[in-house]
Amino acid sequence: MNILTNKKIAIIGGGPGGLTLARLLQMNGLDVKVYERDTDKDARAKGATLDLHEESGLLALREAGLMDEFKANYRPGADKLRIIDKQANIVWDDSANREEESSRPEIDRGPLQKILLDSLQTGTVVWDSHLPHFLSKEINGR
């Protein structure tokens, strides 16, 4: 028997790590809520791309069964770097130094968030739950 069975698990923060953890826990039949301070999924701009490494982010998405969705949304070649000088001479070309598929593909944060949110059970994310406010309500019994 899993020691977390019949327990309620709270994850503070609905970023990529928190949402991925929630997905993995739900896949194992656990009761989980993600408390996120944003008012909803569209509350703010998502920021720059993320590069996911084989031994960390990609491994987690693979374990979460989300690689097909990831591959449909990632940015092939975005991890390659080319540096040129002011005369447009190539000083460094990362793509010329490797022919194999990237071990750190990049994905925009918005599509990654959508993939993760869509993979969770309805009502998993509790929006507009800023931690100090949430803790105050719990401590004061409100």
Side-chain angles (χ1 to χ4, degrees), residues 76-128:
D79 61 324
K80 293 182 169 76
L81 174 67
R82 176 177 284 168
I83 301 173
I84 59 173
D85 63 19
K86 59 184 171 182
Q87 285 81 34
N89 297 310
I90 297 173
V91 177
W92 172 260
D93 188 353
D94 192 32
S95 61
N97 296 326
R98 58 186 159 113
E99 295 182 17
E100 73 279 356
E101 189 175 317
S102 174
S103 62
R104 51 183 171 83
E106 295 195 8
I107 186 168
D108 291 327
R109 290 172 189 261
L112 180 59
Q113 179 191 50
K114 181 176 179 358
I115 291 167
L116 293 167
L117 287 172
D118 289 351
S119 76
L120 298 173
Q121 296 168 9
T122 302
T124 298
V125 179
V126 181
W127 299 101
D128 200 17

Side-chain angles (χ1 to χ4, degrees), residues 5 7-8 11 14 17 20 27 34 37 69 73 82-83 86 90 93 98 105 107-110 112 119 124 130 134 140:
T5 302
K7 305 282 185 199
K8 292 183 179 185
I11 298 172
T20 304
M27 289 176 67
V34 177
R37 70 179 172 178
E69 293 87 344
N73 288 279
R82 176 177 284 168
I83 301 173
K86 59 184 171 182
I90 297 173
D93 188 353
R98 58 186 159 113
I107 186 168
D108 291 327
R109 290 172 189 261
L112 180 59
S119 76
T124 298
H130 191 60
F134 174 73
N140 294 320

Side-chain angles (χ1 to χ4, degrees), residues 35-89:
Y35 295 91
E36 171 55 45
R37 70 179 172 178
D38 286 346
T39 54
D40 59 59
K41 66 180 181 55
D42 299 315
R44 60 182 156 141
K46 302 300 180 249
T49 60
L50 290 173
D51 65 323
L52 301 181
H53 294 246
E54 188 63 41
E55 69 281 359
S56 55
L58 286 177
L59 177 61
L61 288 180
R62 189 171 290 108
E63 291 293 320
L66 299 172
M67 284 306 291
D68 288 341
E69 293 87 344
F70 174 79
K71 287 179 180 178
N73 288 279
Y74 85 111
R75 300 178 62 198
D79 61 324
K80 293 182 169 76
L81 174 67
R82 176 177 284 168
I83 301 173
I84 59 173
D85 63 19
K86 59 184 171 182
Q87 285 81 34
N89 297 310

